[in-house]
Amino acid sequence: MIEQYVLDLEEVGESQVAVVGGKAAHLGELSRIEGIRVPAGFCVTTAAFQRIMAEAPSIADRLDRLSGLNPDDREAIRTLSAEIRRTLEGVAIPDDVAAAITRALARFGEDAAYAVRSSATAEDMPTASFAGQQDTYLNVMGPAAVLGHVSRCWASLFTERAVTYRLRNGFDHRKVHMAVVVQRMVFPDAAGILFTADPVTGNRKVATVDASFGLGEALVSGLVNPDVYKVRDGEVVTEAVAAKQRAVQALPGGGTREVAIDPQRQEQPALTNAQVVRLVRLGRRIEAHFGRPQDIEWCLVDDDFQIVQSRPITTLFPIPAADDQENHVYLSVGHQQMMTDPMKPLGLSMWRLTAMAPMHEAGGRLFVDATRQLASPAGRAGFLEMAGRSDPLTRDALETLFDRPDFVLAPPDGAPGGPPIGGPPAPIATDPAIVTELVERSQASIAALRRDIRDKTGPALFDFLLEAFQEHKRVLSDPLSMQAIMAGMQATWWLNDRLQEWLGEKNAADTLTLSAPGNITSEMGLALLDVADVIRPHPEVVAFLRDVEDDGFLPELPKVAGGAEARDAIEAYLDRYGMRCVGEIDITRPRWRERPATLLPVLLDHVRNFEPGAAERRFEQGRQQALNKAQEVLERLRALPDGEQKAAETKRMIDRVRTFIGYREYPKYGIISRYFVYKQALLDEAERLVRAGVLSETEDVFFLTFQEFHDVARSHQVDGELIRRRKDAFASYHALTPPRVLTSDGEVITGAYRRDDVPAGALIGLPVSAGTVEGRARVILDMAQADLEPGDILVTAHTDPSWTPLFVAIAGLVTEVGGQMTHGAVIAREYGLPAVVSVLDATSLIRDGQRIRVHGSDGYVEILP
């Protein structure tokens, strides 16, 4: 049947992507929007492509081989994809398919010219545009030429770039099919691209128009620099007219060619401002129809715009939902928590339910709405002060935003939104018993949670957890705990500020806090050295652990000599620290207790690289350095005017920082300990639902919110399609880079370091742990893949407490995210590692294996020749 192989564009829409592909489905939708003109044409459906694939010899075997390739193996991809293309182009189009296409062409006349364009089923989607991955052919004339180019479009599903894109984005080659769009050719005076949101900043209120003379191919292929217009609120706000020396034009007999533009015309604008505004108005209509910002290809013919393609802009970071039309400023929670990866829905909802401030979700990440504090001048000053201490890039981004006249925050209703952020809590005495009491309170609360949750199942479990979350927040907001944390932080700031003022000493507190007592996270790193001491004397245990392939190794360990002792040491470590893992603020992430093999690469590195007793020696060495530094500083202060008073004040602050700074890491340990109790109970409930046939697999609940999980436990009904959509969305979120600062217009505000005191070419960051070190950079994005030698410098995106076991084996630290009091900085100071954090794009600008020099006192990194 003709209808099986050919459909008119006006007959298709978004519900038929599987039949006509993404491009054709969008064109069909476009043709039905009032006021939008789309060139007439038809679509050769995926049914025709499947006929060709069925007739292609050995195609199944080649697809199997293609699916097994590494996306970085360019040579293998190039060779195999070329084979597949040659095979497909060699298959004759079946007579009934060719007849259907020829019949459709006859409606437009023998002499008509066409654009023949690929339309894959995985294309122009909200999460993956596949832009430019398959082929387009312009000014194709005559039925024979159209048929030949249809065949080439089918084969273009297997271009090297398309295959690599699918491999990198997890698309199955067998499940992606190709349709082909055949449209009447448009011969424009000008053409280009309209982005209905600014593709650079993300601002949804600013549209960007790129325009050039002739066919849009000149612009898309990079042949010319286009004119660029930005439009906001129906007005052109910026205009940059380029010298357009070349254009692509259609040839009378078919095909296209590059031509030179008359020098007198080169610097004339391709569009008038009125045309630009009119085009953006059309774009807003298209955006409203599809419900998201669009990347639109347009042509101008006799002052009439025609739309030849529209696809979602997939690179924009989503905006948190707001219930008003006011301006809002959102700050990334992930940059504060050292985990900027996307979180699954259950993880997002659990963190929101247990957090101390309201949070908003976008792109799989959490944000805090800081509008209320920032709109109040009194609140803003304190907020910026705290932001600057934590992350200068965030502070600079906010100040950049406030300098602009077009972004005004409405003043808060009534009283300001709480006390200024960073305001000092009531002071407390420098008494170690306070920390002891706080730790005991936390442990007692967690023990009660474990005891009381044991017999809870079904809806009763969720009711219990909602009460437990209140206790969770009560512990977190304990005034004494906040006072202890701030006492340590403020003493650190006091020491750094005063000792730089009085002695010219930068970051003196970094040495004064070495081996501070009671830091649960630094103790965790040293404790793994003690486990290595147990394993090292037993060669059979070391050999056994090197060959471990899964997480079920602990019961097998006692079968080798020394294995029982090694198992007991590992089990004791997991009893104390097994609730931790990379990305631990997401409750769905696998914990060390669940995946103990995660620790083995680091543990085996410790066996190889350290001598027995390293943990105790390291701690004592740091303690002595801190004591010696304290004596040296006090002696130098006494020699100054008013020296005795300065020394006495400094001694009080040194005692204070060593009393309280270790506690800074304990509340997070308590949170994650509670999280593991919650998770075990929730997984038990999920397993019951799997046994009852309600869920397909246990981890499906990770893609439900807490409330949705509660509803499933009550109703024994689940929306499988919702779970599937959530899984697809979560996969797509990995491609998004979360911003530090995001506005309600969708604009990503990027801060900058405004410094001129660093060498040319150096990478600037935030100095958080003093000292200078030179060594081999190890760029590590997955802790389980770490392979470190003594003297290596760890370069990574961000660290949380789970990375601490690596810190004992490195000489320095560089991260893309972090602040003075975030995890990596605190532990780097505890261990005496020079560290620079918040270095933009460090993991891409520094190559693995390069020699670098980390200036931990001055806040920059040099890449050495």
Side-chain angles (χ1 to χ4, degrees):
M1 293 176 62
I2 294 174
E3 291 78 13
Q4 185 179 2
Y5 299 120
V6 171
L7 289 173
D8 193 274
L9 283 180
E10 293 182 357
E11 298 178 64
V12 302
E14 287 200 303
S15 64
Q16 294 163 282
V17 170
V19 177
V20 299
K23 187 178 284 120
H26 270 237
L27 286 168
E29 289 287 334
L30 284 167
S31 68
R32 288 193 285 279
I33 303 174
E34 184 179 354
I36 303 300
R37 291 197 59 195
V38 176
F42 60 90
C43 178
V44 182
T45 67
T46 55
F49 172 76
Q50 289 168 302
R51 279 278 301 276
I52 296 298
M53 290 289 284
E55 296 184 20
S58 306
I59 200 74
D61 176 61
R62 289 188 171 108
L63 290 179
D64 285 342
R65 287 159 51 202
L66 198 64
S67 298
L69 293 179
N70 185 313
D72 295 320
D73 191 347
R74 297 182 60 184
E75 185 59 37
I77 291 172
R78 183 180 301 117
T79 301
L80 187 51
S81 61
E83 280 182 28
I84 294 172
R85 288 197 306 278
R86 284 194 300 271
T87 299
L88 291 178
E89 289 183 29
V91 176
I93 298 178
D95 290 344
D96 54 343
V97 176
I101 296 170
T102 304
R103 234 180 259 114
L105 292 170
R107 287 184 292 146
F108 300 107
E110 289 292 322
D111 298 327
Y114 300 93
V116 182
R117 315 172 75 193
S118 61
S119 180
T121 53
E123 185 174 39
D124 294 352
M125 299 186 302
T127 56
S129 74
F130 283 79
Q133 301 306 312
Q134 285 94 34
D135 288 350
T136 289
Y137 303 97
L138 301 177
N139 200 30
V140 180
M141 303 179 71
V146 170
L147 289 170
H149 285 87
V150 167
S151 185
R152 292 173 69 182
C153 279
W154 286 331
S156 77
L157 189 64
F158 297 98
T159 60
E160 180 185 347
R161 63 183 182 272
V163 166
T164 301
Y165 190 96
R166 288 197 297 274
L167 287 171
R168 290 195 187 284
N169 288 277
F171 286 89
D172 185 339
H173 302 297
R174 294 175 181 278
K175 292 182 179 178
V176 181
H177 303 303
M178 180 68 81
V180 181
V181 173
V182 181
Q183 281 179 288
R184 287 294 299 267
M185 185 67 191
V186 175
F187 302 99
D189 304 312
I193 299 170
L194 160 64
F195 296 97
T196 63
D198 189 316
V200 177
T201 68
N203 194 322
R204 302 328 195 249
K205 292 185 177 177
V206 176
T208 301
V209 175
D210 292 357
S212 63
F213 295 124
L215 292 167
E217 190 66 20
L219 191 156
V220 174
S221 64
L223 180 65
V224 298
N225 290 323
D227 300 341
V228 180
Y229 306 84
K230 291 188 183 295
V231 177
R232 182 180 180 124
D233 298 328
E235 180 182 347
V236 175
V237 292
T238 65
E239 174 185 359
V241 177
K244 301 170 287 296
Q245 298 177 343
R246 313 282 298 171
V248 174
Q249 290 185 348
L251 291 168
T256 62
R257 68 174 178 181
E258 292 180 21
V259 296
I261 295 176
D262 186 321
Q264 294 183 335
R265 191 175 174 231
Q266 287 178 5
E267 296 191 18
Q268 292 180 3
L271 298 175
T272 67
N273 280 17
Q275 288 171 330
V276 170
V277 170
R278 178 154 49 94
L279 174 61
V280 169
R281 201 175 298 130
L282 294 175
R284 293 293 182 212
R285 195 174 295 174
I286 294 169
E287 178 184 68
H289 178 84
F290 289 114
R292 57 180 62 90
Q294 296 288 299
D295 165 358
I296 298 166
E297 294 181 26
W298 56 268
C299 296
L300 180 69
V301 184
D302 298 329
D303 198 34
D304 183 30
F305 286 106
Q306 297 198 37
I307 306 301
V308 295
Q309 187 163 329
S310 183
R311 62 169 72 92
I313 307 175
T314 59
T315 56
L316 298 176
F317 200 88
I319 308 171
D323 56 5
D324 59 37
Q325 299 302 309
E326 301 291 339
N327 287 332
H328 291 262
V329 182
Y330 301 102
L331 304 186
S332 166
V333 173
H335 284 80
Q336 295 300 314
Q337 291 295 334
M338 301 297 96
M339 212 292 277
T340 56
D341 295 342
M343 297 168 66
K344 295 186 179 77
L346 185 63
L348 290 165
S349 65
M350 291 287 283
W351 192 260
R352 293 173 75 176
L353 285 165
T354 53
M356 297 307 300
M359 294 185 179
H360 306 265
E361 184 271 331
R365 279 80 170 188
L366 290 170
F367 294 84
V368 171
D369 186 347
T371 308
R372 192 169 183 81
Q373 288 86 359
L374 294 169
S376 160
R380 182 184 302 175
F383 194 98
L384 290 175
E385 173 67 20
M386 180 62 79
R389 287 194 179 275
S390 174
D391 181 5
L393 292 175
T394 295
R395 175 169 186 158
D396 187 78
L398 292 171
E399 289 177 333
T400 300
L401 185 62
F402 297 137
D403 287 341
R404 291 180 4 193
D406 62 337
F407 193 90
V408 178
L409 296 179
D413 298 329
I421 298 296
I428 54 174
T430 303
D431 182 358
I434 293 173
V435 173
T436 303
E437 178 187 345
L438 286 167
V439 169
E440 288 174 351
R441 284 188 198 176
S442 176
Q443 290 174 339
S445 177
I446 293 166
L449 173 65
R450 287 197 183 101
R451 181 189 66 241
D452 296 341
I453 204 171
R454 281 184 194 138
D455 61 345
K456 304 295 189 297
T457 62
L461 169 64
F462 294 87
D463 293 338
F464 171 83
L465 284 172
L466 288 171
E467 294 178 11
F469 297 161
Q470 297 310 307
E471 166 67 4
H472 182 122
K473 291 200 275 190
R474 187 197 64 74
V475 172
L476 269 185
S477 60
D478 184 337
L480 188 62
S481 179
M482 298 302 297
Q483 288 170 305
I485 291 170
M486 289 306 299
M489 292 169 66
Q490 289 170 336
T492 301
W493 298 333
W494 190 97
L495 287 167
N496 280 335
D497 292 345
R498 294 294 184 278
L499 295 181
Q500 181 156 11
E501 177 189 345
W502 294 338
L503 300 176
E505 180 117 13
K506 279 186 180 179
N507 303 316
D510 294 358
T511 305
L512 295 168
T513 56
L514 286 170
S515 298
N519 187 315
I520 188 72
T521 309
S522 62
E523 290 170 0
M524 177 177 72
L526 297 175
L528 199 63
L529 287 173
D530 291 335
V531 178
D533 286 353
V534 174
I535 291 170
R536 193 178 292 108
H538 304 292
E540 288 185 42
V541 171
V542 174
F544 175 90
L545 294 177
R546 282 194 184 123
D547 292 336
V548 164
E549 295 181 353
D550 58 49
D551 294 297
F553 68 93
L554 284 170
E556 301 297 313
L557 195 48
K559 295 178 182 178
V560 301
E565 189 180 354
R567 179 204 57 196
D568 291 347
I570 294 171
E571 287 281 8
Y573 186 86
L574 292 173
D575 286 345
R576 185 154 172 75
Y577 304 111
M579 77 295 290
R580 311 222 82 150
C581 68
V582 172
E584 61 191 9
I585 68 169
D586 183 351
I587 199 171
T588 71
R589 290 284 190 106
R591 312 283 135 174
W592 289 345
R593 170 55 80 183
E594 297 168 315
R595 301 270 179 87
T598 305
L599 289 168
L600 294 185
V602 184
L603 184 55
L604 290 168
D605 279 351
H606 288 356
V607 170
R608 183 178 77 246
N609 294 330
F610 291 92
E611 296 296 321
E616 186 176 350
R617 283 196 306 276
R618 181 160 193 149
F619 184 84
E620 183 56 27
Q621 180 183 1
R623 195 178 70 85
Q624 286 297 328
Q625 281 182 259
L627 288 173
N628 293 340
K629 184 67 176 179
Q631 291 174 358
E632 174 217 319
V633 163
L634 295 175
E635 286 173 11
R636 291 167 63 193
L637 286 172
R638 290 187 185 104
L640 299 177
D642 298 324
E644 288 298 334
Q645 181 182 342
K646 288 173 180 171
E649 288 180 33
T650 301
K651 175 65 167 63
R652 284 197 299 273
M653 286 298 175
I654 292 173
D655 290 345
R656 195 163 178 79
V657 81
R658 292 195 67 81
T659 297
F660 292 116
I661 199 65
Y663 178 71
R664 170 74 178 80
E665 292 283 298
Y666 200 89
K668 181 75 169 288
Y669 175 79
I671 291 170
I672 302 306
S673 297
R674 298 179 74 90
Y675 258 41
F676 194 38
V677 179
Y678 304 154
K679 182 179 185 181
Q680 288 172 309
L682 289 170
L683 283 178
D684 287 346
E685 184 62 26
E687 286 168 7
R688 279 189 284 273
L689 291 168
V690 169
R691 288 195 298 271
V694 177
L695 295 172
S696 298
E697 55 187 27
T698 306
E699 294 191 358
D700 279 354
V701 297
F702 293 167
F703 296 92
L704 301 173
T705 66
F706 179 84
Q707 184 57 54
E708 289 165 348
F709 190 179
H710 191 175
D711 293 341
V712 171
R714 185 185 299 111
S715 68
H716 274 218
Q717 293 183 328
V718 67
D719 184 346
E721 178 61 22
L722 173 68
I723 290 172
R724 187 195 64 76
R725 289 199 308 272
R726 294 263 179 85
K727 288 179 178 180
D728 289 345
F730 176 72
S732 74
Y733 293 152
H734 285 86
L736 299 174
T737 301
R740 283 173 164 80
V741 178
L742 180 68
T743 74
S744 47
D745 291 345
E747 185 171 3
V748 172
I749 310 295
T750 304
Y753 291 106
R754 307 189 186 279
R755 295 175 55 187
D756 54 11
D757 59 343
V758 299
L763 308 180
I764 303 173
L766 178 65
V768 295
S769 186
T772 301
V773 67
E774 181 179 319
R776 179 180 69 156
R778 294 310 317 273
V779 180
I780 297 172
L781 300 179
D782 180 353
M783 176 183 154
Q785 304 302 316
D787 181 14
L788 295 166
E789 299 289 344
D792 284 347
I793 297 170
L794 174 62
V795 180
T796 190
H798 46 75
T799 65
D800 58 14
S802 71
W803 287 73
T804 302
L806 292 184
F807 282 30
V808 300
I810 59 176
L813 174 69
V814 179
T815 69
E816 294 179 340
V817 175
Q820 287 182 339
M821 284 298 169
T822 50
H823 156 75
V826 171
I827 303 305
R829 291 192 291 270
E830 287 267 342
Y831 288 171
L833 302 174
V836 180
V837 303
S838 209
V839 180
L840 285 173
D841 301 322
T843 59
S844 54
L845 296 174
I846 299 171
R847 294 195 310 275
D848 187 52
Q850 278 186 315
R851 289 196 68 77
I852 62 174
R853 186 180 297 126
V854 177
H855 295 262
S857 300
D858 296 312
Y860 64 91
V861 179
E862 291 181 281
I863 300 176
L864 303 176

